[in-house]
Amino acid sequence: MNVTRGFTGRSRARHPGLPPGQYDAGDDWPVLSAEVTPDLAPEEWTFRVDGLVAEERTWTWAEARALPGSVYEGDIHCVTSWSKFGVRFSGVSLDVFLDAVRPDPAATHAVAYAHTGYTTSLPLADLRGGRAWIAFDADGAPLPPEHGGPARLLVPHLYFWKSAKWIAGLRLLDHDEPGFWEQNGYHARGNPWQEQRYSGD
Amino acid sequence: MTDLAPAAERAPAPLATRFAVPGRIAVDAPQAGEWQPATLSAIRRETDRATTFRLAVPGWPGHLPGQHLMLRLTAEDGYTAQRHYSIASAPDDSGHIELTLDHVEGGEVSGWFHTEARPGDRVEVRGPVSGFFAWPGDRPALLIGAGSGVVPLMSMVRHHRARGLDVPLRLLVSARTPEELIYAGEYGPETTPVFTRRAPAGTAVGRLSAAHLAPVLAERPAGGWEAYVCGSNAFAEHASRLLVAAGQPVDRIRVERFG
């Protein structure tokens, strides 16, 4: 153990919801994106699911908003070490979209892509079972553009770079195809509880 | 990067999914690497709020200008705190790296650096990480930063200077006052400072504007500018909108936001 002289740190009363190596950002919700925030109106937004599916589909804003709603209320974790507790997102469960396109049994992974060109790769299993959403609102208000509005992917059990802002679609694949940060040295899965930050973790 | 054309106008994409702005370098697993001991070798005050900490890292694998690292402090009882920081120094600084940290009110890690740290103290670092904001010194670089957002850009300026590179490089750096301008004594003709609250006599006071960008963009270097924007989210939004409005291609703008 390499002790740093004079460092005591904050209170040891650790929030049980805080994964290893993370700190509580409190009321802050830092913005981290490597691109220019797009000027994307809800009427221009679409969400498509294609690749290894029985029936490719594209939803417009109105069509997506008409689907049965679902809420995630819980924590989010950024790979840059901040976590934010008790955020309430509302949107539509990704299961609703995936059930509609009927994934091919050979599909094992997905690339989520944004209207900006951002991509991130995920195991399909992480997008199933009520653990992923297309989110339209956060804490009762429309998602601000800098946080991915009008709609973002939400996969809160993984580091937040997986929750692609300005989500445009999912492509289902039979292999893992690294996305933007995954090609830039970040972990393929990104489970915060196993501290899977960088490839090799 | 795709543009914002309506879905109907977008050609059906093939199964190969390559949408994003590419990283500047390939980053493989060993580069993020293991935690390594680092010894504080010097402390240099930059402004009232910002201080540079020089670290000897014998096992440092090297970095490119613009990359960052993770830094970890460990208390007697094993408690640790870690943060990401941009690297301020140029790559050719054998076995040493420099970080310039703002003193964040109540900051758990920056607070230790600004109130406790002294030469000889030991911390741990891991990195470098991320190839996206890196600049290998190849393309013409238009750097735009505010406050401590200038830190990774300064690594690029220092690299450009140390290597005597011919490729064009320009820095627009915004600070509230001359006293708050980090690295004020190091800038050369490549740099245009912008002061938002108070400026030296003869220099206008005001926010970064299209008028600051116009002469630089008009230079039109061969291959075009690769723009690197770094600062608070508000500044990054402002600067990147100015760039887009002035015609800089959106896929030639790399943004690093300080949370």
Side-chain angles (χ1 to χ4, degrees), chain B residues 115-158:
Chain B
T115 58
E116 280 286 339
R118 59 184 190 227
D121 284 345
R122 288 161 66 85
V123 302
E124 288 174 291
V125 296
R126 184 182 176 202
V129 292
S130 180
F132 179 69
F133 204 73
W135 181 64
D138 51 354
R139 301 180 187 172
L142 169 52
L143 317 178
I144 305 179
S148 57
V150 73
V151 171
L153 308 180
M154 196 60 195
S155 175
M156 302 177 192
V157 172
R158 288 167 167 163

mmCIF file of all heavy atoms in Angstrom, chain B residues 115-158:
data_model
loop_
_atom_site.group_PDB
_atom_site.id
_atom_site.type_symbol
_atom_site.label_atom_id
_atom_site.label_comp_id
_atom_site.label_asym_id
_atom_site.label_seq_id
_atom_site.Cartn_x
_atom_site.Cartn_y
_atom_site.Cartn_z
ATOM 1 N N THR B 115 -2.985 22.111 -0.093
ATOM 2 C CA THR B 115 -2.764 22.473 1.303
ATOM 3 C C THR B 115 -1.704 21.611 2.001
ATOM 4 O O THR B 115 -1.063 22.066 2.941
ATOM 5 C CB THR B 115 -4.073 22.370 2.108
ATOM 6 O OG1 THR B 115 -4.567 21.037 2.013
ATOM 7 C CG2 THR B 115 -5.120 23.346 1.585
ATOM 8 N N GLU B 116 -1.503 20.376 1.540
ATOM 9 C CA GLU B 116 -0.605 19.455 2.236
ATOM 10 C C GLU B 116 0.674 19.138 1.467
ATOM 11 O O GLU B 116 1.725 18.925 2.055
ATOM 12 C CB GLU B 116 -1.328 18.122 2.482
ATOM 13 C CG GLU B 116 -2.281 18.122 3.670
ATOM 14 C CD GLU B 116 -1.526 18.093 4.991
ATOM 15 O OE1 GLU B 116 -0.341 17.687 5.011
ATOM 16 O OE2 GLU B 116 -2.124 18.496 6.000
ATOM 17 N N ALA B 117 0.542 19.042 0.159
ATOM 18 C CA ALA B 117 1.609 18.434 -0.640
ATOM 19 C C ALA B 117 2.922 19.179 -0.528
ATOM 20 O O ALA B 117 2.943 20.416 -0.490
ATOM 21 C CB ALA B 117 1.175 18.366 -2.097
ATOM 22 N N ARG B 118 4.012 18.425 -0.490
ATOM 23 C CA ARG B 118 5.345 19.024 -0.556
ATOM 24 C C ARG B 118 6.277 18.045 -1.271
ATOM 25 O O ARG B 118 5.986 16.846 -1.355
ATOM 26 C CB ARG B 118 5.844 19.381 0.834
ATOM 27 C CG ARG B 118 5.948 18.231 1.799
ATOM 28 C CD ARG B 118 6.357 18.721 3.190
ATOM 29 N NE ARG B 118 6.669 17.582 4.040
ATOM 30 C CZ ARG B 118 6.208 17.435 5.277
ATOM 31 N NH1 ARG B 118 5.398 18.338 5.816
ATOM 32 N NH2 ARG B 118 6.555 16.379 5.987
ATOM 33 N N PRO B 119 7.370 18.561 -1.816
ATOM 34 C CA PRO B 119 8.288 17.682 -2.558
ATOM 35 C C PRO B 119 8.685 16.474 -1.721
ATOM 36 O O PRO B 119 8.912 16.590 -0.502
ATOM 37 C CB PRO B 119 9.479 18.594 -2.846
ATOM 38 C CG PRO B 119 8.877 19.960 -2.925
ATOM 39 C CD PRO B 119 7.784 19.963 -1.870
ATOM 40 N N GLY B 120 8.745 15.333 -2.372
ATOM 41 C CA GLY B 120 9.070 14.089 -1.692
ATOM 42 C C GLY B 120 7.835 13.239 -1.406
ATOM 43 O O GLY B 120 7.953 12.042 -1.169
ATOM 44 N N ASP B 121 6.667 13.863 -1.390
ATOM 45 C CA ASP B 121 5.433 13.101 -1.144
ATOM 46 C C ASP B 121 5.175 12.133 -2.288
ATOM 47 O O ASP B 121 5.510 12.398 -3.440
ATOM 48 C CB ASP B 121 4.240 14.059 -1.005
ATOM 49 C CG ASP B 121 4.227 14.747 0.352
ATOM 50 O OD1 ASP B 121 4.959 14.279 1.257
ATOM 51 O OD2 ASP B 121 3.499 15.746 0.499
ATOM 52 N N ARG B 122 4.525 11.024 -1.919
ATOM 53 C CA ARG B 122 4.270 9.983 -2.925
ATOM 54 C C ARG B 122 2.776 9.811 -3.185
ATOM 55 O O ARG B 122 1.978 9.758 -2.247
ATOM 56 C CB ARG B 122 4.876 8.660 -2.459
ATOM 57 C CG ARG B 122 6.400 8.675 -2.546
ATOM 58 C CD ARG B 122 7.012 7.588 -1.689
ATOM 59 N NE ARG B 122 6.688 6.253 -2.182
ATOM 60 C CZ ARG B 122 7.375 5.609 -3.129
ATOM 61 N NH1 ARG B 122 8.421 6.186 -3.686
ATOM 62 N NH2 ARG B 122 7.048 4.398 -3.513
ATOM 63 N N VAL B 123 2.447 9.730 -4.452
ATOM 64 C CA VAL B 123 1.071 9.466 -4.872
ATOM 65 C C VAL B 123 1.151 8.312 -5.891
ATOM 66 O O VAL B 123 2.215 7.744 -6.101
ATOM 67 C CB VAL B 123 0.412 10.720 -5.490
ATOM 68 C CG1 VAL B 123 0.415 11.872 -4.503
ATOM 69 C CG2 VAL B 123 1.116 11.131 -6.789
ATOM 70 N N GLU B 124 0.024 7.981 -6.506
ATOM 71 C CA GLU B 124 0.066 6.973 -7.559
ATOM 72 C C GLU B 124 -0.653 7.499 -8.798
ATOM 73 O O GLU B 124 -1.642 8.227 -8.693
ATOM 74 C CB GLU B 124 -0.626 5.690 -7.097
ATOM 75 C CG GLU B 124 0.174 4.931 -6.054
ATOM 76 C CD GLU B 124 -0.621 3.757 -5.519
ATOM 77 O OE1 GLU B 124 -1.622 4.002 -4.810
ATOM 78 O OE2 GLU B 124 -0.269 2.614 -5.823
ATOM 79 N N VAL B 125 -0.153 7.097 -9.956
ATOM 80 C CA VAL B 125 -0.787 7.493 -11.211
ATOM 81 C C VAL B 125 -0.991 6.264 -12.082
ATOM 82 O O VAL B 125 -0.308 5.250 -11.939
ATOM 83 C CB VAL B 125 0.047 8.540 -11.992
ATOM 84 C CG1 VAL B 125 0.151 9.840 -11.219
ATOM 85 C CG2 VAL B 125 1.426 7.998 -12.339
ATOM 86 N N ARG B 126 -1.956 6.399 -12.983
ATOM 87 C CA ARG B 126 -2.240 5.346 -13.944
ATOM 88 C C ARG B 126 -2.558 6.006 -15.274
ATOM 89 O O ARG B 126 -3.391 6.908 -15.330
ATOM 90 C CB ARG B 126 -3.440 4.545 -13.441
ATOM 91 C CG ARG B 126 -3.759 3.379 -14.304
ATOM 92 C CD ARG B 126 -4.985 2.642 -13.815
ATOM 93 N NE ARG B 126 -5.224 1.609 -14.805
ATOM 94 C CZ ARG B 126 -6.384 1.026 -15.006
ATOM 95 N NH1 ARG B 126 -7.416 1.343 -14.278
ATOM 96 N NH2 ARG B 126 -6.507 0.124 -15.941
ATOM 97 N N GLY B 127 -1.885 5.575 -16.309
ATOM 98 C CA GLY B 127 -2.186 6.179 -17.598
ATOM 99 C C GLY B 127 -1.014 6.095 -18.537
ATOM 100 O O GLY B 127 -0.059 5.370 -18.262
ATOM 101 N N PRO B 128 -1.045 6.826 -19.626
ATOM 102 C CA PRO B 128 -2.071 7.812 -19.976
ATOM 103 C C PRO B 128 -3.335 7.127 -20.486
ATOM 104 O O PRO B 128 -3.286 5.985 -20.898
ATOM 105 C CB PRO B 128 -1.411 8.601 -21.107
ATOM 106 C CG PRO B 128 -0.528 7.590 -21.773
ATOM 107 C CD PRO B 128 -0.032 6.687 -20.679
ATOM 108 N N VAL B 129 -4.457 7.840 -20.422
ATOM 109 C CA VAL B 129 -5.709 7.293 -20.926
ATOM 110 C C VAL B 129 -6.307 8.204 -21.995
ATOM 111 O O VAL B 129 -6.082 9.409 -22.001
ATOM 112 C CB VAL B 129 -6.735 7.051 -19.787
ATOM 113 C CG1 VAL B 129 -6.247 5.925 -18.895
ATOM 114 C CG2 VAL B 129 -7.009 8.285 -18.986
ATOM 115 N N SER B 130 -7.051 7.551 -22.871
ATOM 116 C CA SER B 130 -7.814 8.180 -23.950
ATOM 117 C C SER B 130 -6.944 8.719 -25.086
ATOM 118 O O SER B 130 -6.047 9.524 -24.880
ATOM 119 C CB SER B 130 -8.703 9.302 -23.430
ATOM 120 O OG SER B 130 -9.413 9.858 -24.524
ATOM 121 N N GLY B 131 -7.261 8.260 -26.295
ATOM 122 C CA GLY B 131 -6.542 8.751 -27.466
ATOM 123 C C GLY B 131 -7.312 9.804 -28.227
ATOM 124 O O GLY B 131 -6.869 10.265 -29.268
ATOM 125 N N PHE B 132 -8.463 10.225 -27.706
ATOM 126 C CA PHE B 132 -9.338 11.084 -28.497
ATOM 127 C C PHE B 132 -8.879 12.536 -28.540
ATOM 128 O O PHE B 132 -8.888 13.187 -29.575
ATOM 129 C CB PHE B 132 -10.768 11.024 -27.965
ATOM 130 C CG PHE B 132 -11.689 11.916 -28.735
ATOM 131 C CD1 PHE B 132 -12.032 11.625 -30.031
ATOM 132 C CD2 PHE B 132 -12.194 13.075 -28.166
ATOM 133 C CE1 PHE B 132 -12.870 12.451 -30.760
ATOM 134 C CE2 PHE B 132 -13.029 13.911 -28.887
ATOM 135 C CZ PHE B 132 -13.373 13.599 -30.180
ATOM 136 N N PHE B 133 -8.485 13.061 -27.393
ATOM 137 C CA PHE B 133 -8.092 14.468 -27.319
ATOM 138 C C PHE B 133 -6.586 14.625 -27.563
ATOM 139 O O PHE B 133 -6.029 15.686 -27.397
ATOM 140 C CB PHE B 133 -8.505 15.040 -25.956
ATOM 141 C CG PHE B 133 -8.679 16.533 -25.958
ATOM 142 C CD1 PHE B 133 -9.772 17.111 -26.575
ATOM 143 C CD2 PHE B 133 -7.746 17.360 -25.358
ATOM 144 C CE1 PHE B 133 -9.937 18.493 -26.596
ATOM 145 C CE2 PHE B 133 -7.904 18.746 -25.360
ATOM 146 C CZ PHE B 133 -8.997 19.307 -25.982
ATOM 147 N N ALA B 134 -5.958 13.538 -27.963
ATOM 148 C CA ALA B 134 -4.511 13.575 -28.186
ATOM 149 C C ALA B 134 -4.171 14.299 -29.484
ATOM 150 O O ALA B 134 -4.942 14.296 -30.437
ATOM 151 C CB ALA B 134 -3.961 12.151 -28.225
ATOM 152 N N TRP B 135 -3.023 14.942 -29.484
ATOM 153 C CA TRP B 135 -2.497 15.581 -30.698
ATOM 154 C C TRP B 135 -1.075 15.099 -30.906
ATOM 155 O O TRP B 135 -0.169 15.492 -30.172
ATOM 156 C CB TRP B 135 -2.513 17.103 -30.558
ATOM 157 C CG TRP B 135 -2.007 17.814 -31.779
ATOM 158 C CD1 TRP B 135 -2.563 17.812 -33.027
ATOM 159 C CD2 TRP B 135 -0.820 18.621 -31.885
ATOM 160 N NE1 TRP B 135 -1.810 18.556 -33.893
ATOM 161 C CE2 TRP B 135 -0.743 19.077 -33.225
ATOM 162 C CE3 TRP B 135 0.175 18.998 -30.982
ATOM 163 C CZ2 TRP B 135 0.298 19.893 -33.673
ATOM 164 C CZ3 TRP B 135 1.213 19.817 -31.425
ATOM 165 C CH2 TRP B 135 1.264 20.264 -32.762
ATOM 166 N N PRO B 136 -0.856 14.258 -31.924
ATOM 167 C CA PRO B 136 0.493 13.724 -32.134
ATOM 168 C C PRO B 136 1.446 14.733 -32.766
ATOM 169 O O PRO B 136 2.620 14.428 -32.938
ATOM 170 C CB PRO B 136 0.264 12.536 -33.086
ATOM 171 C CG PRO B 136 -1.220 12.328 -33.143
ATOM 172 C CD PRO B 136 -1.855 13.632 -32.804
ATOM 173 N N GLY B 137 0.962 15.914 -33.126
ATOM 174 C CA GLY B 137 1.849 16.900 -33.744
ATOM 175 C C GLY B 137 1.816 16.837 -35.247
ATOM 176 O O GLY B 137 2.726 17.344 -35.913
ATOM 177 N N ASP B 138 0.798 16.193 -35.795
ATOM 178 C CA ASP B 138 0.730 16.020 -37.251
ATOM 179 C C ASP B 138 -0.124 17.091 -37.930
ATOM 180 O O ASP B 138 0.357 17.841 -38.770
ATOM 181 C CB ASP B 138 0.215 14.615 -37.587
ATOM 182 C CG ASP B 138 -1.071 14.262 -36.853
ATOM 183 O OD1 ASP B 138 -1.525 15.056 -35.998
ATOM 184 O OD2 ASP B 138 -1.647 13.194 -37.138
ATOM 185 N N ARG B 139 -1.398 17.205 -37.546
ATOM 186 C CA ARG B 139 -2.297 18.131 -38.258
ATOM 187 C C ARG B 139 -2.210 19.541 -37.680
ATOM 188 O O ARG B 139 -1.919 19.711 -36.499
ATOM 189 C CB ARG B 139 -3.741 17.656 -38.102
ATOM 190 C CG ARG B 139 -3.962 16.262 -38.640
ATOM 191 C CD ARG B 139 -5.409 15.878 -38.451
ATOM 192 N NE ARG B 139 -5.612 14.484 -38.810
ATOM 193 C CZ ARG B 139 -6.753 13.819 -38.604
ATOM 194 N NH1 ARG B 139 -7.778 14.427 -38.036
ATOM 195 N NH2 ARG B 139 -6.867 12.562 -38.957
ATOM 196 N N PRO B 140 -2.518 20.555 -38.494
ATOM 197 C CA PRO B 140 -2.598 21.916 -37.957
ATOM 198 C C PRO B 140 -3.578 21.942 -36.786
ATOM 199 O O PRO B 140 -4.667 21.373 -36.877
ATOM 200 C CB PRO B 140 -3.132 22.725 -39.136
ATOM 201 C CG PRO B 140 -2.704 21.959 -40.348
ATOM 202 C CD PRO B 140 -2.772 20.514 -39.947
ATOM 203 N N ALA B 141 -3.185 22.574 -35.685
ATOM 204 C CA ALA B 141 -3.978 22.513 -34.459
ATOM 205 C C ALA B 141 -4.473 23.897 -34.061
ATOM 206 O O ALA B 141 -3.675 24.816 -33.894
ATOM 207 C CB ALA B 141 -3.145 21.916 -33.335
ATOM 208 N N LEU B 142 -5.776 24.006 -33.929
ATOM 209 C CA LEU B 142 -6.402 25.227 -33.416
ATOM 210 C C LEU B 142 -6.904 24.904 -32.015
ATOM 211 O O LEU B 142 -7.828 24.119 -31.841
ATOM 212 C CB LEU B 142 -7.555 25.643 -34.336
ATOM 213 C CG LEU B 142 -8.488 26.747 -33.818
ATOM 214 C CD1 LEU B 142 -7.707 27.970 -33.359
ATOM 215 C CD2 LEU B 142 -9.493 27.138 -34.894
ATOM 216 N N LEU B 143 -6.257 25.503 -31.010
ATOM 217 C CA LEU B 143 -6.519 25.159 -29.619
ATOM 218 C C LEU B 143 -7.304 26.287 -28.961
ATOM 219 O O LEU B 143 -6.919 27.452 -29.067
ATOM 220 C CB LEU B 143 -5.199 24.945 -28.878
ATOM 221 C CG LEU B 143 -4.124 24.146 -29.630
ATOM 222 C CD1 LEU B 143 -2.851 24.052 -28.797
ATOM 223 C CD2 LEU B 143 -4.647 22.758 -29.984
ATOM 224 N N ILE B 144 -8.385 25.937 -28.288
ATOM 225 C CA ILE B 144 -9.214 26.949 -27.637
ATOM 226 C C ILE B 144 -9.510 26.484 -26.222
ATOM 227 O O ILE B 144 -10.135 25.433 -26.030
ATOM 228 C CB ILE B 144 -10.528 27.169 -28.410
ATOM 229 C CG1 ILE B 144 -10.228 27.506 -29.878
ATOM 230 C CG2 ILE B 144 -11.352 28.277 -27.764
ATOM 231 C CD1 ILE B 144 -11.467 27.722 -30.726
ATOM 232 N N GLY B 145 -9.060 27.255 -25.228
ATOM 233 C CA GLY B 145 -9.248 26.834 -23.849
ATOM 234 C C GLY B 145 -9.630 27.999 -22.963
ATOM 235 O O GLY B 145 -9.413 29.165 -23.305
ATOM 236 N N ALA B 146 -10.209 27.662 -21.816
ATOM 237 C CA ALA B 146 -10.537 28.684 -20.825
ATOM 238 C C ALA B 146 -10.183 28.161 -19.444
ATOM 239 O O ALA B 146 -10.375 26.976 -19.149
ATOM 240 C CB ALA B 146 -12.022 29.043 -20.880
ATOM 241 N N GLY B 147 -9.682 29.061 -18.600
ATOM 242 C CA GLY B 147 -9.332 28.673 -17.235
ATOM 243 C C GLY B 147 -8.328 27.539 -17.259
ATOM 244 O O GLY B 147 -7.391 27.533 -18.057
ATOM 245 N N SER B 148 -8.555 26.516 -16.410
ATOM 246 C CA SER B 148 -7.623 25.397 -16.386
ATOM 247 C C SER B 148 -7.817 24.484 -17.594
ATOM 248 O O SER B 148 -7.084 23.508 -17.752
ATOM 249 C CB SER B 148 -7.759 24.624 -15.078
ATOM 250 O OG SER B 148 -9.086 24.193 -14.908
ATOM 251 N N GLY B 149 -8.773 24.809 -18.440
ATOM 252 C CA GLY B 149 -8.925 24.090 -19.707
ATOM 253 C C GLY B 149 -7.726 24.256 -20.626
ATOM 254 O O GLY B 149 -7.580 23.545 -21.615
ATOM 255 N N VAL B 150 -6.854 25.183 -20.296
ATOM 256 C CA VAL B 150 -5.666 25.388 -21.130
ATOM 257 C C VAL B 150 -4.614 24.299 -20.858
ATOM 258 O O VAL B 150 -3.680 24.135 -21.635
ATOM 259 C CB VAL B 150 -5.069 26.798 -20.892
ATOM 260 C CG1 VAL B 150 -4.366 26.890 -19.540
ATOM 261 C CG2 VAL B 150 -4.126 27.187 -22.021
ATOM 262 N N VAL B 151 -4.789 23.548 -19.775
ATOM 263 C CA VAL B 151 -3.737 22.608 -19.362
ATOM 264 C C VAL B 151 -3.371 21.585 -20.446
ATOM 265 O O VAL B 151 -2.207 21.491 -20.848
ATOM 266 C CB VAL B 151 -4.093 21.929 -18.020
ATOM 267 C CG1 VAL B 151 -3.107 20.800 -17.700
ATOM 268 C CG2 VAL B 151 -4.103 22.963 -16.898
ATOM 269 N N PRO B 152 -4.321 20.806 -20.971
ATOM 270 C CA PRO B 152 -3.913 19.836 -22.004
ATOM 271 C C PRO B 152 -3.459 20.515 -23.291
ATOM 272 O O PRO B 152 -2.651 19.966 -24.032
ATOM 273 C CB PRO B 152 -5.189 19.002 -22.239
ATOM 274 C CG PRO B 152 -6.315 19.885 -21.798
ATOM 275 C CD PRO B 152 -5.760 20.711 -20.671
ATOM 276 N N LEU B 153 -3.956 21.738 -23.534
ATOM 277 C CA LEU B 153 -3.555 22.474 -24.729
ATOM 278 C C LEU B 153 -2.108 22.942 -24.590
ATOM 279 O O LEU B 153 -1.357 23.010 -25.562
ATOM 280 C CB LEU B 153 -4.493 23.668 -24.960
ATOM 281 C CG LEU B 153 -5.994 23.333 -24.959
ATOM 282 C CD1 LEU B 153 -6.820 24.602 -25.187
ATOM 283 C CD2 LEU B 153 -6.316 22.270 -26.007
ATOM 284 N N MET B 154 -1.721 23.275 -23.335
ATOM 285 C CA MET B 154 -0.342 23.718 -23.103
ATOM 286 C C MET B 154 0.631 22.586 -23.379
ATOM 287 O O MET B 154 1.758 22.831 -23.843
ATOM 288 C CB MET B 154 -0.188 24.214 -21.661
ATOM 289 C CG MET B 154 1.056 25.024 -21.437
ATOM 290 S SD MET B 154 1.045 26.501 -22.503
ATOM 291 C CE MET B 154 2.743 26.999 -22.395
ATOM 292 N N SER B 155 0.213 21.353 -23.116
ATOM 293 C CA SER B 155 1.067 20.215 -23.451
ATOM 294 C C SER B 155 1.344 20.199 -24.953
ATOM 295 O O SER B 155 2.462 19.899 -25.385
ATOM 296 C CB SER B 155 0.377 18.918 -23.013
ATOM 297 O OG SER B 155 1.120 17.790 -23.418
ATOM 298 N N MET B 156 0.320 20.579 -25.739
ATOM 299 C CA MET B 156 0.487 20.616 -27.200
ATOM 300 C C MET B 156 1.407 21.764 -27.605
ATOM 301 O O MET B 156 2.300 21.606 -28.450
ATOM 302 C CB MET B 156 -0.891 20.760 -27.867
ATOM 303 C CG MET B 156 -1.847 19.640 -27.504
ATOM 304 S SD MET B 156 -3.490 19.893 -28.247
ATOM 305 C CE MET B 156 -4.454 18.660 -27.342
ATOM 306 N N VAL B 157 1.213 22.941 -27.001
ATOM 307 C CA VAL B 157 2.059 24.098 -27.308
ATOM 308 C C VAL B 157 3.517 23.776 -26.974
ATOM 309 O O VAL B 157 4.441 24.044 -27.762
ATOM 310 C CB VAL B 157 1.595 25.348 -26.513
ATOM 311 C CG1 VAL B 157 2.582 26.503 -26.671
ATOM 312 C CG2 VAL B 157 0.193 25.770 -26.957
ATOM 313 N N ARG B 158 3.729 23.160 -25.806
ATOM 314 C CA ARG B 158 5.096 22.834 -25.386
ATOM 315 C C ARG B 158 5.724 21.805 -26.310
ATOM 316 O O ARG B 158 6.921 21.866 -26.627
ATOM 317 C CB ARG B 158 5.069 22.322 -23.939
ATOM 318 C CG ARG B 158 4.800 23.431 -22.944
ATOM 319 C CD ARG B 158 4.452 22.886 -21.580
ATOM 320 N NE ARG B 158 4.501 23.951 -20.563
ATOM 321 C CZ ARG B 158 3.955 23.863 -19.363
ATOM 322 N NH1 ARG B 158 3.277 22.761 -19.031
ATOM 323 N NH2 ARG B 158 4.051 24.852 -18.515
#
